[in-house]
Amino acid sequence: MTIQDQEPLPDVDPQQPLPDPVPLMGCPYKSNPYPLYERMREAGPVHRVLFPSGVQAWLVTGYEAAHAALNDHRLGKNHDRGNDRWRARASIMPEPQHSRLQVHLLHQDPPKHTRMRRFVTDAFTPRRIEELRPRLQELADALVDALPEAGPADLVAGFAAPFPFQVLAEVVGLPGELAARFDRDWGKVVQPVGPTDPGRPLYEARLHGLQSYIAEVVAHKREVAHRRKHGDDDLLSRLVVARDQGELSQEELDSMIFQLLVAGQEPVTNQLTTALIALFRHPGQLARLRDDLGLMPRAVEELLRHDSAFELTTWRFFDQDSDLHGTEVPAGDSVIVSLCAANRDPRRFPDPDTLDLDRSPNPHLAFGHGIHFCPGAALARAELQIALGTLLARLPGLRLAIRDDDIEWIPAVLGRGTNRLPVGYDRRL
């Protein structure tokens, strides 16, 4: 039996010393990880932790240590750096999909990372995103138009899930007929499911479905380029052309499309849910923001800091035994940075557990830092500003329609969010 097959470990008793490793699993932890992160920060910047899959890793928790780790050139992200202990538990995606879909930007180091990243940055520049704002507003308004005239409604199904995907399709050039056939459940392939897990067949079916879909996208873009003697000037078309000209391998192309389709929209869906839940828990701040939407840019930064959808970073590895803030980490062991723990560090953010829409400066790490800083950060910020502004302006009396304790947080290892968000509101404007 694997650890993933077992019952969740009991909660860590705050009166007892932290266990070694610290289990990061179970409903209480996913509902509110911040008390545990506070204890870990107070005990030191680096701790050995245990994930549901059985993987043990080294977790960095404080802001200063996290900032340093995100910029530490000794820590690489290529999976080839992982040792056998890590690989036995963490390489869960089967072959050939692992080799074809896991060589994207998040798993590369310079110079390969530098070469691959330059293909996507132009699509997400702040200037281009600002030009797209009117179109993004149209998409948000159309989704609100389709909501019931009065609550209740599920804001994930009705808004938070379709909006980021529609935006992404617009930005990267995903044709409407293909966008309509995308199955959101394919995004769940980034949630680890071990080989002995009862859900493994469904996981593999989703993986095959997504891989086939990516192949269709590539074939469509190639057909358009052949028919018109030149391709469309969108990101997906440019990636396909780069593959055809030998600048990207087929695996790099497939992996980058995989990353765009999954990492480009699911985290924004989750961030919308965490932001709305934070506002529901702070009705005074919600009312203030609703009455003065000019606060929105600064409010979004605070909502990103307060509860980030990217709770933990993906794996990093030392290529030799190394010191990490006073802890000896063996070569090939995984190092993970807790962005949420860093963003609640009182040594960097006064009164960190308070949602303060006036907080400034606000150097949060919700989008990471260093060479792996999220290339889609400008787009995500615009989406959050437009989405929250539209919902607050057009759904007066917006409120949570279930008890706070009944919110079901997603079981994803690295992220925070909820798959359902039942809300009430007085009417739809």
Side-chain angles (χ1 to χ4, degrees):
M1 176 183 285
T2 67
I3 290 180
Q4 192 166 16
D5 298 328
Q6 298 174 14
E7 292 296 317
L9 297 186
D11 299 340
V12 176
D13 186 345
Q15 304 302 318
Q16 299 296 325
L18 286 168
D20 182 20
V22 179
L24 299 186
M25 62 185 78
C27 290
Y29 163 72
K30 290 307 299 181
S31 297
N32 183 14
Y34 293 103
L36 177 59
Y37 288 155
E38 181 180 6
R39 291 189 60 206
M40 294 173 77
R41 280 194 311 264
E42 291 174 351
V46 179
H47 299 271
R48 182 159 37 202
V49 295
L50 176 67
F51 290 109
S53 62
V55 172
Q56 292 192 21
W58 301 92
L59 190 71
V60 182
T61 56
Y63 184 92
E64 184 178 344
H67 191 277
L70 293 172
N71 291 277
D72 193 333
H73 69 276
R74 300 175 302 162
L75 283 166
K77 301 200 74 174
N78 193 302
H79 283 185
D80 291 342
R81 285 171 164 248
N83 57 31
D84 290 342
R85 290 191 306 278
W86 174 81
R87 198 174 312 282
R89 292 285 189 178
S91 295
I92 289 173
M93 187 178 287
E95 295 295 351
Q97 286 79 20
H98 183 272
S99 298
R100 292 178 180 173
L101 300 179
Q102 292 290 288
V103 292
H104 49 69
L105 290 173
L106 282 175
H107 299 158
Q108 300 302 330
D109 302 313
K112 189 174 184 179
H113 174 269
T114 309
R115 172 178 60 82
M116 293 173 63
R117 187 178 172 105
R118 68 181 174 84
F119 289 106
V120 303
T121 51
D122 285 350
F124 300 106
T125 62
R127 179 177 179 179
R128 179 162 189 254
I129 300 309
E130 286 304 308
E131 293 172 350
L132 286 170
R133 271 185 181 264
R135 175 57 181 154
L136 306 192
Q137 185 64 60
E138 289 177 3
L139 295 173
D141 280 325
L143 286 168
V144 173
D145 288 342
L147 291 174
E149 292 187 7
D154 175 13
L155 270 194
V156 173
F159 189 94
F163 178 63
F165 185 72
Q166 291 177 6
V167 168
L168 181 72
E170 192 87 17
V171 172
V172 305
L174 185 64
E177 62 272 22
L178 281 171
R181 290 178 35 234
F182 184 85
D183 185 347
R184 186 182 171 225
D185 279 349
W186 289 336
K188 295 178 181 177
V189 299
V190 298
Q191 300 176 15
V193 175
T196 62
D197 191 289
R200 183 69 173 191
L202 178 58
Y203 171 85
E204 294 191 3
R206 287 170 174 159
L207 193 58
H208 287 294
L210 179 56
Q211 188 177 21
S212 297
Y213 181 83
I214 291 170
E216 284 190 62
V217 171
V218 172
H220 175 86
K221 290 297 181 180
R222 283 199 175 118
E223 180 186 352
V224 170
H226 177 75
R227 189 168 62 243
R228 299 180 182 174
K229 306 302 182 185
H230 60 81
D232 293 330
D233 188 27
D234 58 63
L235 177 55
L236 290 175
S237 295
R238 292 197 297 271
L239 291 175
V240 171
V241 169
R243 160 62 185 90
D244 291 345
Q245 294 178 347
E247 299 177 79
L248 288 174
S249 70
Q250 185 65 49
E251 292 75 20
E252 289 169 346
L253 171 64
D254 291 350
S255 287
M256 291 177 76
I257 296 176
F258 169 81
Q259 184 182 11
L260 286 169
L261 294 178
V262 176
Q265 50 109 4
E266 196 72 14
V268 180
T269 294
N270 291 337
Q271 190 66 63
L272 278 171
T273 66
T274 61
L276 286 164
I277 290 168
L279 290 171
F280 293 148
R281 289 172 171 172
H282 298 81
Q285 298 283 48
L286 186 153
R288 183 176 173 222
L289 183 58
R290 182 191 59 224
D291 294 341
D292 183 5
L293 293 179
L295 294 172
M296 188 60 71
R298 191 165 57 198
V300 163
E301 298 308 307
E302 175 65 353
L303 290 164
L304 284 163
R305 181 204 68 83
H306 185 263
D307 201 7
S308 174
F310 273 117
E311 183 172 354
L312 308 174
T313 65
T314 52
W315 322 107
R316 285 169 164 79
F317 311 91
F318 290 115
D319 60 8
Q320 57 186 338
D321 296 353
S322 301
D323 176 83
L324 183 64
H325 303 291
T327 297
E328 187 72 14
V329 176
D333 272 15
S334 57
V335 175
I336 293 178
V337 178
S338 174
L339 303 177
C340 283
N343 287 337
R344 294 279 189 105
D345 190 336
R347 291 164 293 189
R348 188 63 187 87
F349 300 99
D351 200 9
D353 294 327
T354 297
L355 182 69
D356 179 6
L357 302 188
D358 293 316
R359 192 180 297 275
S360 182
N362 195 345
H364 63 76
L365 300 177
F367 294 114
H369 204 271
I371 65 170
H372 289 284
F373 180 81
C374 176
L379 177 61
R381 285 182 162 111
E383 290 179 85
L384 292 166
Q385 292 168 14
I386 291 168
L388 293 173
T390 304
L391 292 171
L392 293 182
R394 296 196 55 196
L395 302 177
L398 184 63
R399 59 195 177 273
L400 193 62
I402 57 174
R403 295 188 314 133
D404 191 287
D405 289 346
D406 291 333
I407 295 172
E408 296 180 6
W409 295 88
I410 59 174
V413 173
L414 304 181
R416 284 183 58 68
T418 179
N419 284 326
R420 292 183 65 253
L421 189 61
V423 299
Y425 46 90
D426 300 334
R427 63 192 185 282
R428 188 192 69 218
L429 299 180

